[in-house]
Amino acid sequence: MKDEKRNNLSMLMDFYELTMANGYFCCGFKDKITYFDMFFRKIPDNGGFAIMAGLEQVIDHLNNLSFSDEDIEYLRTKKIFNEEFLNYLKNFKFECDVWAIPEGTPIFPGEPIVIVRGPAVQAQLLETMILLTINHQSLIATKSNRIVRAAQGRPVMEFGSRRAQGPDGAILGARASYIGGCTGTACAISDREFDVPALGTMAHSWIQMFPTELEAFKCYAELYPSNCVLLVDTYNVLKSGVPNAIRTFNEVIVPKGFRPAGIRIDSGDITYLSIKARKMLDDAGFPDCKIVASNSLDEYIIRDILMQGAKVDSFGVGERLITSRSEPVFGGVYKLSAVEENGKIIPKIKISENVEKITNPGFKQVWRLFDNESGKAIADVITLYNENIDETRPYEIFDPEHIWKHKTLTNFTAKKLLVRIFERGKCVYKLPKLKDIRNYCKEQVGTLWDEVLRFENPHKYYVDLSRPLWELKQEMLK
Amino acid sequence: MKDEKRNNLSMLMDFYELTMANGYFCCGFKDKITYFDMFFRKIPDNGGFAIMAGLEQVIDHLNNLSFSDEDIEYLRTKKIFNEEFLNYLKNFKFECDVWAIPEGTPIFPGEPIVIVRGPAVQAQLLETMILLTINHQSLIATKSNRIVRAAQGRPVMEFGSRRAQGPDGAILGARASYIGGCTGTACAISDREFDVPALGTMAHSWIQMFPTELEAFKCYAELYPSNCVLLVDTYNVLKSGVPNAIRTFNEVIVPKGFRPAGIRIDSGDITYLSIKARKMLDDAGFPDCKIVASNSLDEYIIRDILMQGAKVDSFGVGERLITSRSEPVFGGVYKLSAVEENGKIIPKIKISENVEKITNPGFKQVWRLFDNESGKAIADVITLYNENIDETRPYEIFDPEHIWKHKTLTNFTAKKLLVRIFERGKCVYKLPKLKDIRNYCKEQVGTLWDEVLRFENPHKYYVDLSRPLWELKQEMLK
C-alpha cells in the first residue's frame, strides 16, 4: 500500500499550487491559456555554464499525471476545495504543450530551459515537479562535468550513494553524473535501471573479515581475477597494502593468466602515496596496474593533486559530487511569461527592484549561434517564438543591459535550443539513450571557449535578447 | 513497469556490497555472524549535537528486502556471481538483528546509532541503504532543529520541495524537518503520506493572472476567507501590497465575519519591511494579522533579523533547509566492529593514522546519563553491550583521550539509547507516530545544556567510553 502510494508522485507539489488551481477553476480561469518559463539565475560554483538534465523524469512524470481516489479523498478532508475542481482532478487529462532544451546541453542564466503552455489550472500544478527534477539533475550533471574536466581524461566514477539526499538523490544523481561525463557509478540500481555502468570491488570490512590483509587480497583475487582492484589502505598503504597487493598479483593473478586491474587508495595524502605506490608497482613489473583514488575528492582537489604530479589513473568521487556539496542548490524558478486572450499572446512581466530579477516577457525561443570557422558557440539569443534568425545575413547581437556593447556576426550557424516535448498533452519527443546524451554533452561542452570552461572567474558567455524581445520588455517596463 | 522497479529499492546498494557478499558466500563466510556499527564523526555546521532520523524508512526497507527475478537476471549478466549466491538472493530471507537509537534523539559523534548483527552476506548488503537513509534524514532534522530554535518559538514551515535533491529529498526531507521541529511543509504529498501538515496560499503567478493586485487579493479572499494569507511583494510591498491587503481585509474578510490570517513577504529586506508592514496593519486595526517571511532564510538570518527587531510571526524556509545548504552531507559510516566465532564475540578494530578515525571495537550499548536534580543530560557513555551502569552507586566517567580528565557522578539516571528494532529478521519495534517523535525530539533537546545548544562553538558534549570498553580498545591498539 505504502509502495503504491510512492509510485504516484502527482501530489508532489506545493500545496499552494492546489489552492491556486482551485482558485483559477472557481474564478473562470480554468481554460485560460498560460505560458510559464523555467529558467535559472546563477550558475553553481560560479562556473561558466550549467548542464541541462532531468528531462526524462519530467516526461515520465507528465505522462503519468493522475489523481487517485485516495488523493481526492485527502484533498476533500481539507474542506477548501470545490467539488467540481476535485472532479476535474479525478478525471485529469494532461493537455499542455511543453518545450525544453535537450539534456546534456550547456545552459546559461536567464534563458528559458523549459516552457509550459496550457490551461492555468494545469500549468500551475506542474511547477514543483518540473523545478525539482530539473534543478536536481542539472545541479549534479553540472558538478559532474566540472569534476570530469578536472580529471583531464581520467575516468571518474560516482561513488556517493551513501551520502545522497534520499534514494532518488542516489539513483537519479548517478544518472545525472553520467550525463555530465562520469564513467559509471557504484550504485547497482542505477545500472539496472538506467544502464549507468556500475563497478565496485571491496570495502575495508572485506579486509577485516580475514585474519590478514594478504589472505583477504588472495581470496578476492581467486574470485575475481579478471578485474582485480585491491583496496590498499586498511592498515598501511606503503608498508602493507601495496606489498601485499603485489604479492597477490604475482601469486594469484599472473599465474591465472591475467594482469592486475588496479589498487585503490581511500585515505591519506593521495599525491604522496600514489607517487610511491606507482614506483613500487612499476618496479614489480606492473606498470599497467591502475591506481584509483577516492577520498573526499572534488574538482579542486583533483586539479591540485594532478598539478602536484599525483599518479592517479582514475577517481572515485563521493559526497562532494552526489550532493554538489560546495553548492547544493540549483535555483531554477518557474514564472508566468504570458497568457492568451482571444487566441492572442499577452506577454506578462514580473517587475523587481532587483534588475536581474525582472523576467523576460512573452513566448520565447532560445538560439545558439556557432561560428562556422571555429565551430565554437559565440552567444545565445533569446527571441520571441516566431522570430527567425537568418544565417545568410549579418546578425547584430547586443548586451541587453548595456546596449552600446554590440557585435555583428557573419558566417555563423543559428540553432534553436528549445524543442517540442509535449503537444496538447501528448509526448512527441523521442528520448535519446543515456549514452547518447552523455556523448552529446561532451560534444556540446567542446563548443565552448576555454575562457567559459574555467572553474573560477570564467568569461561570461553572452545571453542576449533579440531586438523585438528587448523592445517589448522596455515597453512593458515603462 | 518502470514504476514497479522503483518500488523495490533492494538493489539500491554499492556494487561492491554484492561482490563482497558473493565473496563471503564463496569463502565460507556466508553464515559468519558479524556486527556492524553506523556512527558519524562530525556534527554538521559545527553544531553541538545532531538529531537521529530516518529509522522508519530503514525499517520499511528491511521489511521489504527481496530480489526480483529481474534483479537476479541483471546480476547474472555481470558474469561474476556464483549461481548458488544468486539463488540465495532469490530466496532471500532477512535474518539480522538490528538496534538503533530512536528517531528524534539528540546524537553525538562516535556513538553507534545503528548496530546490525547478522550473517556477513546479509549485513554487508544493508550498508548503503542504512547509511543513505539515516544520513539524509538526520542531516535535515538537525538543520531543521537549528532553524526552529533560531525562530524562538515562532512557527517554521518547510518550503523547499522545488530545490530538493530529487522527489525523496522533498518528501522525506519534509518528514525529517517535521521531526526537527518544523510546524509543517508546503509539500502536499508529505502531508498525505506522513501527516506532516501542509499549508500554502499563493505564488506571484496568482497575482499576475489578474488585471490588478487588488483584484487578485479580493478573489482569493472570497475563496479562502477563513485562512487568508496574502503575498504582498509582487509589485511593491509597502506602496501596493500591504495597502491592497488591508483593503481586502476590510472589504472582504471582515464583512464575511473573519479575521485576516496574514501577509507574506518573499523578497526585500525582511527587517525593514516587516516593521513598516506591522505598523500599517496595526494602524488599520489588524494587530492580529500575522506576518510570514520567506526569502532564502536559515538559522543565521532568522537570528539576525529577530535581533534587529523584525516583526515576523512565522517563517517559510526553503532551499537552505531542504538541502541543508551550509553543510549538505551527514557523514555517517558503517564499520565492522565484531564477528562471532563459536558463539563468542571477537571484537574488530579499524586502525588509522588519524586517531579520531580509529573505531570502537566490540558489541556495544550507548547510555545517556541525566542529572536527577536538573534533568539535564550530563554525558553519554559507550559500554560493552552486557555492561550495566548502576545508578545507585557513584559512577566515574573519563575522557577516553585524556584520561586524567575524570568526574564522579552521583544522583543520576542512566538510560540505554539503543533499542532493539529487529530480532532475527523480524521487526519487534513499534514505530511511534510522527507527531510523537517530534514532541520527543523537542523534549530531549530540552535536556541539553544551553552551552551545547549554541549555534557556533558549542560546548563539546561528553561521549565517553566505559572502563571495560576503553581497556579493550587499548589492548587491541597494542
Side-chain angles (χ1 to χ4, degrees):
Chain A
M1 188 61 187
K2 181 149 256 161
D3 280 346
E4 270 171 45
K5 282 203 229 170
R6 288 302 301 282
N7 263 339
N8 184 350
L9 294 178
S10 298
M11 289 284 289
L12 179 35
M13 53 177 69
D14 283 18
F15 198 81
Y16 75 10
E17 289 156 34
L18 290 158
T19 48
M20 285 192 284
N22 180 62
Y24 295 145
F25 193 91
C26 298
C27 297
F29 290 170
K30 169 173 157 313
D31 296 318
K32 190 177 186 79
I33 296 297
T34 53
Y35 292 76
F36 282 86
D37 293 350
M38 173 178 180
F39 62 94
F40 69 105
R41 296 196 180 101
K42 200 182 146 290
I43 300 166
D45 290 317
N46 296 314
F49 63 98
I51 298 290
M52 176 74 175
L55 189 55
E56 180 177 334
Q57 282 63 46
V58 167
I59 293 172
D60 280 354
H61 181 69
L62 297 180
N63 275 329
N64 290 305
L65 259 188
S66 66
F67 298 86
S68 67
D69 290 345
E70 194 189 22
D71 294 333
I72 304 296
E73 202 38 60
Y74 157 76
L75 291 174
R76 190 172 284 126
T77 63
K78 297 288 169 183
K79 299 199 170 91
I80 55 171
F81 295 106
N82 182 294
E83 271 302 316
E84 280 172 57
F85 173 67
L86 294 180
N87 201 43
Y88 173 83
L89 289 185
K90 194 175 151 72
N91 301 306
F92 190 86
K93 198 179 158 299
F94 183 56
E95 290 167 0
C96 295
D97 298 281
V98 179
W99 294 259
I101 294 181
E103 294 191 275
T105 311
I107 50 177
F108 299 91
E111 55 196 29
I113 57 179
V114 179
I115 295 177
V116 175
R117 173 195 175 278
V121 63
Q122 296 207 351
Q124 189 74 66
L125 292 179
L126 313 182
E127 180 173 7
T128 301
M129 265 307 272
I130 289 179
L131 287 177
L132 118 73
T133 306
I134 303 286
N135 277 337
H136 171 225
Q137 290 198 43
S138 297
L139 177 74
I140 304 303
T142 303
K143 189 66 171 180
S144 159
N145 190 261
R146 287 171 68 83
I147 294 171
V148 165
R149 286 185 287 124
Q152 300 173 41
R154 295 167 184 80
V156 174
M157 295 285 291
E158 185 285 299
F159 269 15
S161 298
R162 63 193 54 200
R163 304 281 165 82
Q165 297 194 353
D168 290 319
I171 301 169
L172 300 172
R175 177 184 187 274
S177 301
Y178 187 67
I179 289 176
C182 279
T183 309
T185 178
C187 183
I189 201 170
S190 303
D191 184 358
R192 195 203 59 189
E193 192 162 342
F194 294 116
D195 291 329
V196 180
L199 274 177
T201 57
M202 65 179 68
H204 297 115
S205 55
W206 175 269
I207 313 293
Q208 289 176 280
M209 285 286 285
F210 292 80
T212 66
E213 187 180 52
L214 184 64
E215 282 170 85
F217 284 176
K218 284 188 162 180
C219 183
Y220 193 87
E222 291 284 349
L223 280 167
Y224 306 112
S226 69
N227 184 29
C228 183
V229 179
L230 299 171
L231 178 64
V232 294
D233 71 336
T234 306
Y235 302 113
N236 183 306
V237 174
L238 301 177
K239 288 185 190 154
S240 164
V242 178
N244 281 329
I246 289 170
R247 208 170 139 191
T248 304
F249 296 152
N250 277 321
E251 296 178 11
V252 182
I253 299 293
V254 173
K256 282 183 180 285
F258 291 99
R259 297 294 298 170
I263 61 168
R264 178 160 77 96
I265 306 173
D266 189 42
S267 60
D269 190 281
I270 302 291
T271 303
Y272 172 79
L273 293 172
S274 68
I275 292 170
K276 293 280 180 186
R278 180 74 272 158
K279 183 153 191 326
M280 291 164 79
L281 290 166
D282 289 352
D283 290 349
F286 301 116
D288 52 341
C289 175
K290 307 284 190 200
I291 298 178
V292 185
S294 59
N295 182 28
S296 296
L297 301 171
D298 62 17
E299 67 269 43
Y300 306 106
I301 296 176
I302 290 176
R303 177 189 61 186
D304 288 355
I305 66 175
L306 289 179
M307 273 175 57
Q308 292 182 317
K311 299 291 188 191
V312 176
D313 301 290
S314 74
F315 295 95
V317 181
E319 61 196 42
R320 297 187 185 195
L321 167 54
I322 205 68
T323 66
S324 187
R325 181 165 175 259
S326 54
E327 177 48 270
V329 173
F330 193 86
V333 295
Y334 186 80
K335 296 288 178 191
L336 184 73
S337 62
V339 297
E340 281 181 20
E341 273 170 23
N342 305 318
K344 200 163 165 285
I345 299 176
I346 314 292
K348 293 277 180 178
I349 193 166
K350 160 110 176 58
I351 312 284
S352 171
E353 290 179 34
N354 185 334
V355 178
E356 290 167 5
K357 283 202 167 186
I358 297 173
T359 60
N360 290 316
F363 176 35
K364 301 174 290 290
Q365 176 57 279
V366 181
W367 301 72
R368 184 153 296 164
L369 310 185
F370 295 92
D371 177 37
N372 285 343
E373 207 157 301
S374 63
K376 296 289 182 188
I378 310 162
D380 285 5
V381 181
I382 309 175
T383 66
L384 291 170
Y385 191 76
N386 54 11
E387 273 185 70
N388 189 34
I389 295 183
D390 184 351
E391 299 167 346
T392 65
R393 292 169 172 221
Y395 185 79
E396 187 192 53
I397 57 173
F398 61 97
D399 185 316
E401 277 179 57
H402 314 284
I403 56 170
W404 67 91
K405 293 192 195 170
H406 55 88
K407 192 172 174 178
T408 300
L409 307 180
T410 54
N411 192 26
F412 67 94
T413 300
K415 189 182 155 195
K416 291 181 192 177
L417 294 188
L418 285 162
V419 301
R420 176 79 84 132
I421 308 295
F422 281 85
E423 200 169 328
R424 301 287 184 274
K426 193 171 165 294
C427 183
V428 294
Y429 180 68
K430 193 172 173 309
L431 275 168
K433 284 190 181 158
L434 198 62
K435 198 176 282 186
D436 295 334
I437 296 174
R438 182 172 177 270
N439 290 337
Y440 169 77
C441 177
K442 191 175 175 187
E443 177 196 301
Q444 292 301 306
V445 171
T447 68
L448 302 176
W449 295 107
D450 282 349
E451 290 80 354
V452 175
L453 298 175
R454 206 155 47 214
F455 290 145
E456 278 139 321
N457 290 326
H459 174 73
K460 196 178 164 209
Y461 181 83
Y462 299 123
V463 178
D464 295 338
L465 306 186
S466 70
R467 190 153 296 272
L469 176 57
W470 185 83
E471 281 167 2
L472 169 68
K473 188 172 180 177
Q474 295 308 310
E475 202 176 301
M476 293 185 74
L477 287 175
K478 277 182 209 149
Chain B
M1 189 58 188
K2 180 149 259 162
D3 280 344
E4 272 172 45
K5 280 202 228 170
R6 287 301 300 281
N7 264 337
N8 184 349
L9 294 177
S10 299
M11 289 284 287
L12 179 35
M13 54 177 66
D14 283 19
F15 198 81
Y16 76 10
E17 290 156 33
L18 290 158
T19 49
M20 283 192 285
N22 180 63
Y24 296 144
F25 194 92
C26 298
C27 296
F29 290 168
K30 169 172 154 318
D31 298 316
K32 189 175 189 81
I33 296 297
T34 53
Y35 292 75
F36 282 86
D37 293 350
M38 172 176 182
F39 62 94
F40 70 105
R41 296 196 181 102
K42 201 184 144 290
I43 300 166
D45 290 316
N46 296 313
F49 63 98
I51 298 291
M52 176 74 176
L55 188 55
E56 179 177 336
Q57 283 61 48
V58 167
I59 292 173
D60 279 354
H61 181 69
L62 298 180
N63 275 330
N64 291 303
L65 259 187
S66 67
F67 299 86
S68 66
D69 291 346
E70 194 188 21
D71 294 333
I72 305 296
E73 201 38 59
Y74 156 76
L75 291 174
R76 191 173 281 126
T77 62
K78 298 287 169 183
K79 298 199 171 92
I80 55 172
F81 296 106
N82 182 294
E83 271 302 317
E84 279 172 60
F85 173 68
L86 294 180
N87 202 44
Y88 174 83
L89 290 185
K90 193 175 152 71
N91 301 306
F92 190 86
K93 198 180 156 300
F94 183 56
E95 290 166 0
C96 294
D97 298 280
V98 179
W99 294 259
I101 295 182
E103 294 191 273
T105 311
I107 49 175
F108 299 91
E111 55 197 27
I113 55 178
V114 180
I115 294 177
V116 175
R117 174 196 174 275
V121 64
Q122 297 206 354
Q124 189 74 67
L125 292 179
L126 313 182
E127 179 172 11
T128 301
M129 264 308 271
I130 288 179
L131 287 176
L132 117 72
T133 305
I134 303 286
N135 277 336
H136 170 225
Q137 290 198 45
S138 298
L139 176 74
I140 304 302
T142 304
K143 188 67 171 179
S144 160
N145 190 261
R146 288 171 68 84
I147 294 172
V148 166
R149 286 185 287 124
Q152 299 174 40
R154 295 167 185 81
V156 174
M157 296 283 294
E158 184 285 298
F159 270 15
S161 298
R162 63 193 54 199
R163 304 281 164 80
Q165 297 195 354
D168 290 319
I171 301 169
L172 301 172
R175 178 184 187 275
S177 301
Y178 187 66
I179 290 176
C182 279
T183 310
T185 178
C187 184
I189 200 170
S190 303
D191 184 358
R192 196 203 57 190
E193 193 163 341
F194 295 116
D195 291 328
V196 180
L199 274 177
T201 58
M202 64 179 67
H204 297 114
S205 54
W206 174 270
I207 314 291
Q208 290 177 280
M209 285 286 284
F210 291 79
T212 67
E213 188 179 52
L214 184 64
E215 283 170 84
F217 283 177
K218 284 189 162 183
C219 183
Y220 192 86
E222 290 284 349
L223 280 165
Y224 305 111
S226 69
N227 185 29
C228 183
V229 178
L230 299 172
L231 178 64
V232 294
D233 72 335
T234 306
Y235 302 113
N236 184 303
V237 173
L238 301 177
K239 287 185 191 154
S240 162
V242 178
N244 281 328
I246 289 172
R247 208 172 139 189
T248 303
F249 297 152
N250 277 319
E251 295 177 12
V252 182
I253 299 294
V254 173
K256 280 182 182 282
F258 292 99
R259 295 294 298 169
I263 62 167
R264 179 160 76 96
I265 306 173
D266 189 41
S267 59
D269 190 280
I270 302 289
T271 303
Y272 173 77
L273 292 173
S274 67
I275 292 172
K276 292 282 181 188
R278 181 73 272 157
K279 184 154 190 332
M280 292 164 79
L281 290 165
D282 290 352
D283 290 349
F286 300 117
D288 53 339
C289 175
K290 308 285 190 198
I291 298 179
V292 186
S294 59
N295 181 29
S296 295
L297 301 172
D298 61 17
E299 66 270 42
Y300 307 106
I301 296 176
I302 289 175
R303 177 188 60 187
D304 288 356
I305 65 175
L306 290 178
M307 274 175 57
Q308 293 183 317
K311 299 291 186 190
V312 176
D313 301 291
S314 75
F315 296 95
V317 180
E319 62 196 40
R320 296 187 186 194
L321 167 55
I322 204 67
T323 66
S324 186
R325 181 165 175 258
S326 54
E327 178 45 273
V329 173
F330 192 87
V333 296
Y334 186 81
K335 297 287 178 193
L336 185 72
S337 62
V339 298
E340 281 181 19
E341 272 170 25
N342 307 318
K344 201 163 164 286
I345 298 176
I346 313 293
K348 292 276 180 177
I349 193 167
K350 158 111 178 59
I351 314 283
S352 172
E353 292 181 33
N354 184 336
V355 178
E356 290 167 5
K357 283 202 167 186
I358 296 172
T359 60
N360 290 317
F363 175 35
K364 300 177 289 290
Q365 176 57 278
V366 182
W367 302 70
R368 184 154 298 164
L369 310 186
F370 296 92
D371 178 35
N372 286 343
E373 207 157 303
S374 63
K376 296 290 182 187
I378 311 162
D380 286 5
V381 180
I382 309 174
T383 67
L384 291 171
Y385 190 77
N386 53 11
E387 273 185 71
N388 189 33
I389 296 184
D390 184 350
E391 299 168 348
T392 65
R393 294 169 172 221
Y395 185 78
E396 188 193 54
I397 56 173
F398 61 96
D399 184 317
E401 278 179 56
H402 313 285
I403 55 169
W404 65 92
K405 295 192 195 171
H406 56 87
K407 191 173 176 176
T408 301
L409 306 181
T410 53
N411 191 25
F412 66 95
T413 301
K415 188 182 155 194
K416 290 182 190 177
L417 295 187
L418 284 162
V419 303
R420 178 79 83 127
I421 309 295
F422 281 85
E423 199 169 328
R424 301 287 185 272
K426 193 171 164 292
C427 184
V428 294
Y429 180 67
K430 192 172 173 308
L431 275 169
K433 285 191 183 157
L434 198 61
K435 198 176 285 187
D436 295 335
I437 296 174
R438 182 172 177 271
N439 290 338
Y440 170 76
C441 177
K442 193 176 173 188
E443 176 197 300
Q444 292 301 307
V445 171
T447 69
L448 302 176
W449 294 105
D450 283 350
E451 290 78 356
V452 176
L453 298 175
R454 206 156 46 215
F455 291 146
E456 278 137 323
N457 291 325
H459 174 74
K460 196 179 163 207
Y461 182 83
Y462 298 123
V463 178
D464 294 338
L465 306 186
S466 70
R467 189 153 299 272
L469 177 57
W470 185 84
E471 281 168 1
L472 170 68
K473 189 172 179 176
Q474 295 307 312
E475 201 177 300
M476 292 184 75
L477 286 175
K478 276 180 208 151

